[in-house]
Amino acid sequence: QVQVVESGGGSVQAGGSLTLSCTGRGFTYSSYAMGWFRQEPGKEREGIAAIYTPGGTTRYAESVKGRFTISQNNAKDTVYLQMNSLKPEDTAMYYCAWKGGPFDSVYAFLYPEEYNSWGQGTQVTVSS
């Protein structure tokens, strides 16, 4: 069974930076995606960044493009989310997720319903 665990959340002032990490194990596919999602209380979960192995194709939500960067380690079992120029509206619970196999389209990279395994989440709070 695939498991993913996030770390690195915390509190930061607007304009600051944070890096989230997500380590997975038990991968059962040679091609897979790892993505970052966030959710505020009472709102739907939003896909913000994802990376596909093999190849390293990435996709970002418009709300974070140019500020957040997703990357992975050489072993391809850990992904990072570097978050710069943070805004109060970035405050949310951040989740890492894993999906085995291909997507029907690159747009589906950020669809929560595509992902099979989820971490427990890590809180990011940005104060003004």
Side-chain angles (χ1 to χ4, degrees):
Q1 184 176 353
V2 174
Q3 294 181 323
V4 293
V5 179
E6 311 96 335
S7 62
S11 298
V12 65
Q13 289 193 325
S17 299
L18 280 175
T19 301
L20 306 182
S21 300
C22 172
T23 297
R25 62 179 184 179
F27 294 170
T28 53
Y29 287 79
S30 58
S31 61
Y32 55 89
M34 293 182 76
W36 286 99
F37 299 78
R38 65 186 182 187
Q39 189 170 22
E40 298 174 67
K43 294 189 177 181
E44 292 187 354
R45 193 165 292 188
E46 173 192 18
I48 57 173
I51 187 165
Y52 192 77
T53 297
T57 301
T58 58
R59 183 158 179 88
Y60 295 92
E62 289 298 322
S63 58
V64 305
K65 198 174 290 185
R67 300 188 299 122
F68 291 10
T69 302
I70 188 170
S71 60
Q72 61 189 165
N73 65 348
N74 288 336
K76 306 293 191 285
D77 60 0
T78 299
V79 293
Y80 307 97
L81 187 67
Q82 174 67 43
M83 304 186 293
N84 298 328
S85 302
L86 282 160
K87 305 174 182 179
E89 51 263 44
D90 294 318
T91 296
M93 184 71 78
Y94 283 68
Y95 296 90
C96 176
W98 177 91
K99 169 196 164 55
F103 292 93
D104 289 338
S105 78
V106 66
Y107 299 102
F109 276 32
L110 300 181
Y111 295 172
E113 59 269 27
E114 290 282 335
Y115 287 76
N116 311 111
S117 299
W118 291 83
Q120 79 288 351
T122 186
Q123 179 69 36
V124 172
T125 302
V126 184
S127 57
S128 57

